[in-house]
Amino acid sequence: MDQEQKLKEVVRERYGKIAEQVKAENAASCCGATSPSTKVYNIMMDDYSGTEGYLEDADLGLGCGLPTQFAKIQQGDVVIDLGSGAGNDCFVARHETGPEGKVIGIDFTPAMIKKARANAEKLGYHNVEFREGDIDQMPVNDNVADVVVSNCVLNLVPNKEKVIGEIFRVLKPGGHFSISDIVLIGDLPEALRQDAEMYAGCVAGAIQKSDYLSFIQQAGFQSIQIQKEKTITLPDDILEKYLSQEEIQQFLSKQTGIFSITVYAEKPGEKNKKPKLSLEQLQASSCAPGSGCC
């Protein structure tokens, strides 16, 4: 097994366990994947509670932004959520796209898919489906989505260029994405960068902000903009797991920044008008019962 696959397996295993944790435990750690901090709550996440379409049972406290808030989702849009977890952003997106649209969540953790499907069934949504698969090889055809969203997930994928290329592929001409993610300015200490648990906790898997934006541009996207940016501060009790006191002081004194950014970009091309679909047509276009994708 190569290093890229090993990292994927670390994330898959850890997020399978996270699916069973409570929101407070996830939100007080680093994307839910490291030991909770006693000093800071909401290290990464933003508050969804006032957002229309929000379902508390689907919010595991794993995000680092509110991409759906900036995603410019229109009624009737087809939306894809990368790393959909228990379905939180999918249900918010569904509120925006309405019953005439469609939302597809993609996640490679079976426990998350199971939880998300149970939440969708509870809500009675027939136009929200969850597909198990890797976001660097999406189980979606070309030119399907009007909008792609993702919340604190690309940093978990070793090959970020490949994911960005996949986003370009699945978007329709004129489509766009809004993605919240963790990026760096400056270098992390080696112990943080190499630790597998910290990788699953978002930070060690993050890349330089300049590289992140460059990958988006190189993939062919245009109108790239940062919609929101905030500084992420790791509490001492998390840092102490990886670094000595001297190393912590050195880390804090350096110009190393960990940031949550929400990035928007468009795929070139002219957007076609979407035909209005009836509820019956939408249900017919969804996966058949028992097929495993809804």
Side-chain angles (χ1 to χ4, degrees), residues 122-259:
K122 180 169 56 180
L123 292 166
Y125 289 162
H126 300 290
N127 60 334
V128 181
E129 67 175 81
F130 295 93
R131 302 183 184 179
E132 187 176 336
D134 285 4
I135 63 171
D136 60 7
Q137 194 172 359
M138 294 185 212
V140 178
N141 290 331
D142 297 354
N143 306 314
V144 165
D146 297 288
V147 183
V148 171
V149 296
S150 185
N151 197 346
C152 212
V153 172
L154 266 68
N155 46 62
L156 299 173
V157 182
N159 193 336
K160 295 165 182 57
E161 285 181 273
K162 190 174 180 182
V163 177
I164 292 168
E166 279 288 276
I167 295 171
F168 192 92
R169 177 183 69 80
V170 302
L171 276 171
K172 298 174 183 177
H176 64 270
F177 72 72
S178 182
I179 291 175
S180 296
D181 220 337
I182 300 297
V183 295
L184 305 174
I185 296 178
D187 296 323
L188 285 176
E190 193 71 7
L192 284 179
R193 194 177 63 81
Q194 290 192 349
D195 188 271
E197 186 185 47
M198 187 57 86
Y199 186 94
C202 303
V203 172
I207 62 173
Q208 294 296 310
K209 177 181 175 182
S210 57
D211 291 338
Y212 195 99
L213 297 176
S214 179
F215 289 160
I216 294 170
Q217 185 176 37
Q218 290 169 16
F221 285 102
Q222 60 187 22
S223 302
I224 303 166
Q225 58 180 284
I226 295 178
Q227 296 171 304
K228 184 178 179 179
E229 181 171 320
K230 68 177 182 180
T231 302
I232 303 298
T233 302
L234 297 181
D236 288 349
D237 56 350
I238 285 182
L239 291 176
E240 285 166 0
K241 285 192 64 182
Y242 305 95
L243 307 173
S244 67
Q245 285 299 320
E246 183 179 351
E247 288 170 329
I248 290 173
Q249 292 305 314
Q250 290 176 349
F251 172 57
L252 296 177
S253 66
K254 289 181 178 178
Q255 298 302 307
T256 300
I258 303 171
F259 298 93

